[in-house]
Amino acid sequence: MTVAIRATDLVKSYTPGSRALDGVSLEVASGEVLVVMGPSGSGKSTLIRTFNGLEKLDGGELDVLGVRLDAAHEERPVCEIRRRVGMVFQQFNLFPHLSILDNITLAPVKVQKRPKVQAEQRAIELLDQMGIREQAHKFPAQLSGGQQQRVAIARALALDPEVMLFDEPTSALDPERVKEVLDAMRQLARDGMTMVVVTHELGFAREVADRVMFMDQGQVVETSDPASFFTNAREERSRRFLSQMV
Amino acid sequence: MRRRSLLLQVGVSVLLLAFLALLVNNLAVNLLRTGLGLDFGWLGRPSGFALAESALPYTPSDNYLWALTIGWLNSLKVIAAGLVLATLLGVAAGAARSSSNRLLRSLAGGYVAVIRQVPLLLQLLFWYFVAFLGLPETPIGDLIQLSNQGISLLGMPLSVEFCAVLTGLTVFTGASIAEIVRGGVNAVPRGQWEAFRSLGLSEGLGFRRIVLPQALPAILPALTSQYLNLAKNSTLAIAVGYADLYAVSDTTITQTGRAIEGFLLLLISFLLLNLLISGGMAGINATVLGRMRRSR
């Protein structure tokens, strides 16, 4: 088993005196799907945003795909990590002034210097895989939320990442649009992608996750396999959280 | 409600007309007093004065009309160059102000703070007397030659006066443009930065390809005002002796005594120039907004 992400004692503090991350350690194996759950403000989004350098650490050490990040890191390792780690956001964050195709091909052409034609071919393949090939020449605002999020997944996949990070990918969607995005993620997991998913989707966690990690107040409360987490959580805090979910 | 708004419109129109009538009356009274009448015949007479620089051949035996045309071209030259350079400087400084690099950020902040507090006239005099006039002969390679005669850029000679006016206008307007760019850039959602960063795009590339295009609709209207200001501020060129339209008109009026005609010509010239600028900007604005609308 090779380790994709190893975090040791991560600390992140936005305001002095309070810690968004308070000594978080974890390992994500290559090919594994880790679902991170917890109440809002528990630090789960902050955590996965440190994995590609969107949040700078205040303490601890990260090893992402063999690249080291710590509180003193430079820009260079972050750029390398970002090329190898894809990220999908709650608010999709598509580029509204670019067509769907250009949204997807921008990074492959500009960052990886792939030929435009080849990048477009790959983009169409990915859109096909996401079931929205016919949207290629539209603009983001012309698509539904679910379609936009699938474009965002395709955009991240276009760089052939080794790890995918999902930050509450279905939280901004209409209920009837959630399934199409989860299905795309399910397929990705089946294909062996290493994934870290922050989500409140219990069904997805139960079915797709290899492990579930529960966080509260910047700390890891417990990590277990989904079956035992949902039926027989060890910690009182996790049980309380689960009892309040529908 | 209807009647009241109609009444208001009639009232405003009457006031405007009255004001206009007053101005025309003043003009007529002034014309009568000088006893000269409105006459543009003097435009064909030789000017008799020399101009320090001219884009097209000019001698003192050429007529006033030609002298004014040369002045207009000199204005156009410094305004056009100023618009381009101020835009580049302003966008760079505006980008630097929202950069993650602290040194860049404070440099740009200091530049904007200092330049906005000092009157443009003082700045022009500074560039003229302190920066350019005092330059020793310092050839830097074969590209740029600095001397108190002016600057020779790639073999193209530029006068000290032109350089001072251009630098003054560029630096002054650049500071305002920087603030406008910063405002527009701040209006772009943070998620757009995170998205391009997470795709491995560099800060510079992300700024150019992702942030700036989305900031443009907020930037362009205010930018047009700054462009028009730069054009109008170029008349301060007279302070350092650059032969722009205003300076030539001033000399012309002194020599001919034709103040009313001279000012009318000056007004019309600047009106034309600024209509050109605002027309061009309206075109760019429409293109950008059209593109944004298409993407909606």
Side-chain angles (χ1 to χ4, degrees), chain A residues 107-118:
Chain A
V109 171
K110 293 288 170 188
V111 178
Q112 294 181 327
K113 311 285 176 206
R114 290 192 204 165
K116 179 119 179 134
V117 181
Q118 193 192 321

Side-chain angles (χ1 to χ4, degrees), chain A residues 56-158:
Chain A
K56 228 176 155 175
L57 289 169
D58 292 318
E61 200 183 304
L62 254 176
D63 181 311
V64 181
L65 300 169
V67 184
R68 222 187 93 116
L69 284 183
D70 56 29
H73 77 245
E74 303 285 322
E75 276 305 305
R76 198 182 302 275
V78 176
C79 279
E80 194 197 328
I81 286 175
R82 285 174 182 165
R83 277 192 280 265
R84 297 168 62 192
V85 176
M87 185 157 199
V88 174
F89 300 89
Q90 181 177 352
Q91 299 295 343
F92 331 134
N93 293 349
L94 295 182
F95 305 131
H97 60 301
L98 300 181
S99 73
I100 298 306
L101 204 58
D102 289 341
N103 260 278
I104 299 175
T105 56
L106 180 70
V109 171
K110 293 288 170 188
V111 178
Q112 294 181 327
K113 311 285 176 206
R114 290 192 204 165
K116 179 119 179 134
V117 181
Q118 193 192 321
E120 286 185 352
Q121 261 172 10
R122 173 86 178 117
I124 296 287
E125 270 173 38
L126 286 166
L127 286 174
D128 208 20
Q129 193 180 319
M130 294 288 145
I132 41 173
R133 184 194 186 127
E134 67 286 354
Q135 312 291 347
H137 298 288
K138 293 191 182 164
F139 284 87
Q142 296 169 311
L143 271 57
S144 73
Q147 290 170 330
Q148 289 195 48
Q149 193 61 301
R150 283 181 283 160
V151 172
I153 296 174
R155 180 174 72 176
L157 289 176

Side-chain angles (χ1 to χ4, degrees), chain B residues 81-258:
Chain B
L83 289 183
V84 173
L85 294 180
T87 308
L88 293 178
L89 179 65
V91 171
R97 289 206 74 181
S98 28
S99 150
S100 51
N101 184 316
R102 185 175 302 171
L103 179 68
L104 266 181
R105 221 168 38 227
S106 32
L107 270 178
Y111 156 61
V112 170
V114 169
I115 294 301
R116 288 206 307 180
Q117 320 297 334
V118 180
L120 175 57
L121 183 58
L122 290 190
Q123 293 187 33
L124 283 180
L125 294 175
F126 168 84
W127 291 115
Y128 184 60
F129 287 113
V130 181
F132 287 110
L133 208 55
L135 278 181
E137 305 251 346
T138 49
I140 305 172
D142 293 329
L143 283 181
I144 306 173
Q145 296 210 321
L146 299 170
S147 76
N148 57 4
Q149 300 298 304
I151 294 177
S152 159
L153 187 69
L154 299 165
M156 187 172 64
L158 306 172
S159 72
V160 175
E161 290 76 19
F162 175 80
C163 291
V165 175
L166 178 60
T167 312
L169 288 176
T170 299
V171 170
F172 183 76
T173 314
S176 301
I177 293 178
E179 284 298 274
I180 292 167
V181 169
R182 185 168 72 110
V185 161
N186 283 348
V188 177
R190 293 307 297 173
Q192 294 291 310
W193 263 269
E194 299 184 343
F196 82 68
R197 282 178 187 148
S198 73
L199 288 169
L201 265 67
S202 69
E203 295 292 303
L205 190 62
F207 185 81
R208 281 199 310 279
R209 295 295 300 262
I210 304 302
V211 178
L212 206 50
Q214 296 184 61
L216 273 186
I219 289 176
L220 283 177
L223 191 62
T224 306
S225 303
Q226 287 307 321
Y227 282 3
L228 297 176
N229 279 345
L230 185 145
K232 289 178 287 186
N233 285 341
S234 73
T235 51
L236 285 173
I238 195 171
V240 297
Y242 178 64
D244 81 323
L245 178 59
Y246 185 76
V248 177
S249 297
D250 194 64
T251 312
T252 303
I253 289 170
T254 312
Q255 286 192 5
T256 60
R258 291 286 177 178

Side-chain angles (χ1 to χ4, degrees), chain A residues 22-243:
Chain A
D22 190 8
V24 174
S25 299
L26 66 104
E27 275 186 14
V28 182
S30 174
E32 186 184 26
V33 177
L34 175 72
V35 164
V36 183
M37 306 193 90
S40 61
S42 59
K44 47 196 195 311
S45 284
T46 305
L47 176 68
I48 74 164
R49 288 156 58 89
T50 63
F51 292 169
N52 69 347
L54 284 183
E55 299 289 351
K56 228 176 155 175
L57 289 169
D58 292 318
E61 200 183 304
L62 254 176
D63 181 311
V64 181
L65 300 169
V67 184
R68 222 187 93 116
L69 284 183
D70 56 29
H73 77 245
E74 303 285 322
E75 276 305 305
R76 198 182 302 275
V78 176
C79 279
E80 194 197 328
I81 286 175
R82 285 174 182 165
R83 277 192 280 265
R84 297 168 62 192
V85 176
M87 185 157 199
V88 174
F89 300 89
Q90 181 177 352
Q91 299 295 343
F92 331 134
N93 293 349
L94 295 182
F95 305 131
H97 60 301
L98 300 181
S99 73
I100 298 306
L101 204 58
D102 289 341
N103 260 278
I104 299 175
T105 56
L106 180 70
V109 171
K110 293 288 170 188
V111 178
Q112 294 181 327
K113 311 285 176 206
R114 290 192 204 165
K116 179 119 179 134
V117 181
Q118 193 192 321
E120 286 185 352
Q121 261 172 10
R122 173 86 178 117
I124 296 287
E125 270 173 38
L126 286 166
L127 286 174
D128 208 20
Q129 193 180 319
M130 294 288 145
I132 41 173
R133 184 194 186 127
E134 67 286 354
Q135 312 291 347
H137 298 288
K138 293 191 182 164
F139 284 87
Q142 296 169 311
L143 271 57
S144 73
Q147 290 170 330
Q148 289 195 48
Q149 193 61 301
R150 283 181 283 160
V151 172
I153 296 174
R155 180 174 72 176
L157 289 176
L159 288 164
D160 293 320
E162 295 156 65
V163 175
M164 284 286 284
L165 307 173
F166 293 85
D167 188 3
E168 302 206 26
T170 57
S171 298
L173 295 178
D174 291 336
E176 70 266 33
R177 297 291 184 181
V178 169
K179 186 174 176 296
E180 60 196 50
V181 171
L182 291 182
D183 282 343
M185 292 167 61
R186 217 170 264 133
Q187 184 57 47
L188 211 53
R190 230 174 276 141
D191 295 343
M193 176 65 75
T194 310
M195 291 163 64
V196 181
V197 185
V198 173
T199 186
H200 298 297
E201 298 292 337
L202 300 183
F204 178 84
R206 198 176 284 132
E207 184 197 337
V208 182
D210 294 305
R211 282 185 304 151
V212 176
M213 186 169 105
F214 180 74
M215 287 183 74
D216 191 25
Q217 298 187 338
Q219 294 179 330
V220 179
V221 177
E222 69 172 287
T223 307
S224 36
D225 63 286
S228 44
F229 179 76
F230 288 111
T231 54
N232 191 15
R234 284 193 302 273
E235 301 292 330
E236 164 59 22
R237 182 70 191 90
S238 325
R239 284 199 293 273
R240 203 162 5 113
F241 175 75
L242 285 171
S243 73

